[in-house]
Amino acid sequence: MTVQTSTAQAAPITPTAPTAPAADAIIAAWQGLNLIGGERLAAAATLPVIAPATGAEIGVTAASGPAEVDAAVAAARAAWSGWAAMPARDRGRRVAAAGRAILDELEDLARVLALETGKAIRTECRGELRTAADILEFYGGLGSELKGETVPFNPRMLTMTTREPLGVVAAILPWNVPLVLMMLKIAPALVAGNTVVVKASEEAPYATFAAAAILARHLPAGVINVVSGTGALCGAALTSHPQVAKITFTGSEAVGQAVYEAGAQRIVPVSLELGGKSPMIVCADADLAKAVEGAVSGMRFTRQGQSCTASSRIYVHQALYDAFLAALTARLDQLVIGDPLDETTDVGTIISAKQMATIRRYLDLAEADGARITRCGCLPDDPALDPALFMQPTLLTDIADDHPCVQEEIFGPVAVIQPWTDYDAVIARANATHYGLAATVWTASLATALDATQRIDAGYVQVNQNLTIQPNVSYGGFGRSGLGKEASLEAMLEHFTRKKTIVINFD
């Protein structure tokens, strides 16, 4: 085993930037409260919320249980008939207007998001807010697409289909990109005529509540409701609630399985976006510089690798392997790790001590099994920051394909780099996983690109780029990576409406 630390010089870190007064006010406004029926209601219990960069408690959030969930679902159910009866284009206009309103408050929301998640405001949080707003505007324009069909069954019968909303939708969010994932779930649900109950992550709740409050200003009371709490108490109460007609969940594979089982108990539809161990295949004819940048963005290093689509298995042709590894290490050395609210910061923190312990456990396994570990960049030395959750981008080499670090989702800034020479073999290696969320191929050959994209077993495959989720680009995985698609018209129609067939006999 070799542990290698790169020789990058420490970048200067400016003093920790305070949150803006408006951001502080947002956090203060949601201390221990839920959004239910258009009102802020106190929960019976609370949980602390910790800023990962400093280790300081920035407030408390609702620790909701069955009573709070019952109230939220009742409010959503009471609002449903009126909302469903509203013309779809009018629903869409209201949702789109909320998207534009979020842009008006982007900076304050981004600061809240950076503070509670530890993600860098410049490289991550502002972009997340823009994408979240874009999703609302995208779906807001699709109200007129909620249409059925006429069927040529019999000339003496009018046979047609219609699309109807399902009812109350439960949307359960993770902490890594809560606003984008919330909008991917609730925007199509709302435009389709459903009402929603969102379960915010108890680790990063405040930006979710604030964004939902903006939506609530544009919607009738009770159409959107948000509760916070643990999965074991709040999440379980929501997924098992008899008046929830649909569950949509993003999170871990293990929790997703439990959510799916809860839906099956009541035979309600469930859509899941779960884990990934996404391959990145770099061919001998690839543009080296672009592929290196693709690895930095695709591995989501500025998000500390806390992404289901992270390109955490990177297969590089032997002809480029040494040059690629050297260039990627040098590029990662340039990333500034520091205060998420500092404009010079590229990389913030891991979300929690629990997640950091998980990542370190995988690295301990790699070290014990003789892998070469290269840690890139420099940790911050600002005394205002707590060093516990800062972590360097880390590359693993000289590691076997069947190692847990290659097969299991680490959800941290750890990428495995492995050489290859045989094309058919590397496709097989890319597919040797029970996940199937995303993949990328880097090549100058159109023939290789077409062949590889057909043979790779993943739901979202890109060539010579590594984009994150984009509105109007269908997104979702195969295998244990989940069920269903998001971000498209297809997602709204298939996951948030039911199709009714109507036959009228004229005789």
Side-chain angles (χ1 to χ4, degrees):
M1 184 279 301
T2 303
V3 176
Q4 175 179 317
T5 301
S6 68
T7 56
Q9 296 298 309
I13 301 294
T14 60
T16 302
T19 53
D24 289 338
I26 288 172
I27 294 171
W30 292 103
Q31 294 297 300
L33 303 178
N34 290 317
L35 175 63
I36 298 176
E39 299 181 2
R40 297 174 183 175
L41 300 180
T46 61
L47 294 165
V49 179
I50 306 299
T54 63
E57 182 176 318
I58 56 174
V60 296
T61 190
S64 303
E68 290 86 357
V69 169
D70 281 345
V73 174
R77 184 70 184 177
W80 177 55
S81 59
W83 179 246
M86 184 182 294
R89 291 186 67 189
D90 289 346
R91 294 195 299 260
R93 289 187 185 99
R94 289 171 178 246
V95 169
R100 294 188 290 273
I102 281 175
L103 288 178
D104 292 337
E105 300 185 36
L106 182 147
E107 189 62 25
D108 296 329
L109 291 170
R111 295 184 76 82
V112 173
L113 189 63
L115 186 67
E116 65 184 357
T117 64
K119 296 191 300 185
I121 189 170
R122 176 177 58 81
T123 58
E124 288 290 330
C125 296
R126 292 190 183 106
E128 180 172 348
L129 263 297
R130 293 187 188 99
T131 301
D134 192 20
I135 292 167
L136 290 173
E137 290 211 66
F138 166 70
Y139 276 111
L142 294 182
S144 59
E145 297 303 314
L146 289 158
K147 52 196 178 187
E149 308 158 315
T150 57
V151 181
F153 172 61
N154 186 313
R156 298 299 301 165
M157 300 177 187
L158 173 61
T159 306
M160 60 184 180
T161 64
T162 58
R163 292 279 182 177
E164 298 179 346
L166 300 172
V168 178
V169 171
I172 302 175
L173 309 181
W175 43 259
N176 59 333
V177 275
L179 298 184
V180 163
L181 295 172
M182 177 169 73
M183 301 317 174
L184 284 176
K185 298 176 186 313
I186 71 170
L190 292 171
V191 173
N194 304 282
T195 54
V196 298
V197 177
V198 176
K199 182 204 166 299
S201 167
E202 69 275 22
E203 292 178 292
Y206 296 129
T208 300
F209 276 111
I214 294 172
L215 270 155
R217 295 202 298 261
H218 296 267
L219 307 174
V223 170
I224 182 170
N225 308 271
V226 184
V227 292
S228 173
T230 65
L233 192 61
C234 181
L238 187 55
T239 57
S240 63
H241 199 286
Q243 289 190 313
V244 166
K246 157 78 182 185
I247 305 167
T248 173
F249 168 84
T250 296
S252 72
E253 178 186 350
V255 177
Q257 182 172 326
V259 169
Y260 196 32
E261 290 170 353
Q265 290 292 322
R266 296 188 298 108
I267 315 181
V268 299
V270 177
S271 52
L272 304 169
E273 199 271 274
L274 306 177
K277 196 70 179 177
S278 300
M280 173 177 174
I281 299 175
V282 182
C283 298
D285 62 351
D287 183 307
L288 179 63
K290 289 181 179 179
V292 167
E293 285 301 315
V296 175
S297 62
M299 186 46 218
R300 316 294 185 234
F301 275 117
T302 58
R303 198 186 300 166
Q304 284 286 34
Q306 298 172 133
S307 170
C308 295
T309 59
S311 298
S312 53
R313 293 185 294 143
I314 303 177
Y315 300 100
V316 184
H317 193 277
Q318 187 67 62
L320 291 180
Y321 180 79
D322 290 340
F324 180 92
L325 189 57
L328 178 58
T329 302
R331 179 67 182 89
L332 294 175
D333 281 342
Q334 297 172 359
L335 297 180
V336 176
I337 306 169
D339 177 12
L341 291 170
D342 192 322
E343 294 294 339
T344 67
T345 294
D346 298 302
V347 181
T349 71
I350 305 300
I351 184 68
S352 66
K354 178 182 177 182
Q355 186 60 28
M356 177 65 88
T358 296
I359 299 166
R360 294 200 183 281
R361 185 172 70 250
Y362 279 104
L363 291 179
D364 288 344
L365 285 173
E367 182 177 359
D369 292 334
R372 180 184 176 93
I373 303 173
T374 302
R375 294 181 173 89
C376 305
C378 293
L379 295 172
D381 57 4
D382 183 349
L385 302 175
D386 183 342
L389 300 183
F390 287 94
M391 187 173 186
Q392 295 161 283
T394 302
L395 305 179
L396 300 182
T397 53
D398 300 334
I399 190 167
D401 279 351
D402 62 354
H403 195 276
C405 289
V406 182
Q407 291 298 316
E408 299 173 15
E409 186 177 44
I410 299 174
F411 224 69
V414 181
V416 174
I417 318 293
Q418 295 176 301
W420 66 272
T421 54
D422 182 272
Y423 173 72
D424 290 330
V426 79
I427 294 292
R429 292 167 72 188
N431 288 336
T433 173
H434 65 246
Y435 293 116
L437 186 54
T440 62
V441 180
W442 300 77
T443 179
S445 167
L446 178 59
T448 300
L450 291 173
D451 181 77
T453 54
Q454 291 176 36
R455 293 172 62 184
I456 291 174
D457 194 20
Y460 185 30
V461 185
Q462 302 179 68
V463 177
N464 295 335
Q465 66 175 22
N466 216 324
L467 297 177
T468 57
I469 299 169
Q470 304 291 317
N472 205 32
V473 177
S474 185
Y475 166 77
F478 299 161
R480 301 284 291 187
S481 285
L483 296 169
K485 297 291 185 179
E486 294 183 312
S488 64
L489 171 62
E490 164 198 8
M492 179 172 71
L493 297 178
E494 296 302 320
H495 300 314
F496 297 104
T497 71
R498 60 187 184 184
K499 181 184 282 190
K500 177 182 285 184
T501 299
I502 301 170
V503 183
I504 302 174
N505 191 329
F506 295 140
D507 291 332

